[in-house]
Amino acid sequence: MQELIQAVVEFAGAHAWVVPSIAVAVLAVLVSPLVRDRSDAAAPTALPAPEPPPSAPRAPALAPRPAAPTPQEPAAAPPPARLAERLARTRSALVGRLAPLFGGRALDAELLAQLEKLLFDADLGVKTAESLLETVRSHAAGGDAEAVRRVLREAILSKLRRVEPAPPAARGTTPWVVLVLGVNGSGKTTTIGKLAARERAAGRRVVLGAADTFRAAAIEQLEIWGARAGCEVVTGQAGGDPAAVAFDTVKAAVARGLDVALIDTAGRLQTKAPLIEELRKIVRVIGRDCPGAPHETLLVLDANTGQNAISQARVFTEAAGVTGLVLTKLDGTAKGGVLVGLADEFGIPVRYIGVGEAVEDLREFSAEAFVDALFSEPG
């Protein structure tokens, strides 16, 4: 240690000019921490940023209320198809064959024979075909196809005007009971469903009676139509007594003050006598709680059956007092001429014709409209 001190003294003596500088440097090193501490203490302390004052809880954001939809007019229902379109097959089978048959010739004996066959083939029936042929022979002898066409038109129109129903009178009885007859497959149950829809559209309260207990499918089909039209359906057990169902239907209509009761019936024709007796029994029982019922008895016939429709009409008119005919499926057959035969044979008013599947395709019969459609030009 003595040696170290001695070395420092010697160095200082030899370099006396350096000592002040070293002293200043040493002093600066020793003093700088103190100066920094004092300056730090003297500097103002930065205040922390103030926290924002508590605010009221925000309500959840509401989705903007959707603008009210602009009211739109309901889409207009397409207009019903023209009757001429729906009778195209019958028109083609009857009126459409006249011009080709004549081929520009005048009416003579040979053409009369050919015209007779044409009328028979159009399912007019023997009696009606002969009547029309006689009219043509008397009023169009020597005439061309157009003359024969005019005579036939007027003769057919005359026959159909006899069965055009009168304007409906006010129904003075409540409920108004309608019994609907027809063979299975004629469109009877579907016709009842469409009639129910028409009555409901007119603001009337309707009940349906599923008295065709012979077929379980008929009951189910009527229940489907009842649901569509908003009508109650009175049913029984499959295979049960149809007269009991008819009676219960009328009883329910009377008790609830309903406006209309539409009653379906069995349409089997395997044996004639049981059918007639069954229908007569129905007619008897439904008049017990509603005097005068049934107020209408409608017979539904399938135009596709042609001359069989005339045979069916004979059987049913024996069983019940048929007051009106409904001819269905005219849009799908060339045998629509049977309507003229039915009019000529029975003289029963034709209430409705069916020309399609929709409710509006069950149309009130008009002789003028039917003949216009039958004799209209195609296209």
Side-chain angles (χ1 to χ4, degrees), residues 1-95:
M1 187 63 180
Q2 294 291 329
E3 294 176 354
L4 178 58
I5 295 172
Q6 184 63 36
V8 169
V9 171
E10 292 177 355
F11 179 80
H15 303 282
W17 58 274
V18 177
V19 172
S21 300
I22 294 174
V24 171
V26 171
L27 182 62
V29 170
L30 295 176
V31 172
S32 62
L34 297 175
V35 174
R36 185 169 60 250
D37 290 343
R38 289 175 63 87
S39 61
D40 289 343
T45 305
L47 295 176
E51 295 183 3
S55 58
R58 298 177 60 188
L62 297 177
R65 178 178 295 179
T70 303
Q72 297 180 350
E73 292 292 331
R82 292 175 58 242
L83 187 57
E85 296 174 9
R86 298 300 174 89
L87 296 180
R89 294 187 180 184
T90 295
R91 182 179 65 247
S92 176
L94 178 57
V95 182

Side-chain angles (χ1 to χ4, degrees), residues 11 21 25 32 48 144 186 208 238 253 261 266 291 305 340 344 355 363 376 379:
F11 179 80
S21 300
S32 62
D144 59 6
S186 64
L208 307 181
T305 61
V340 185
D344 210 23
V355 291
R363 305 186 185 183
S376 64

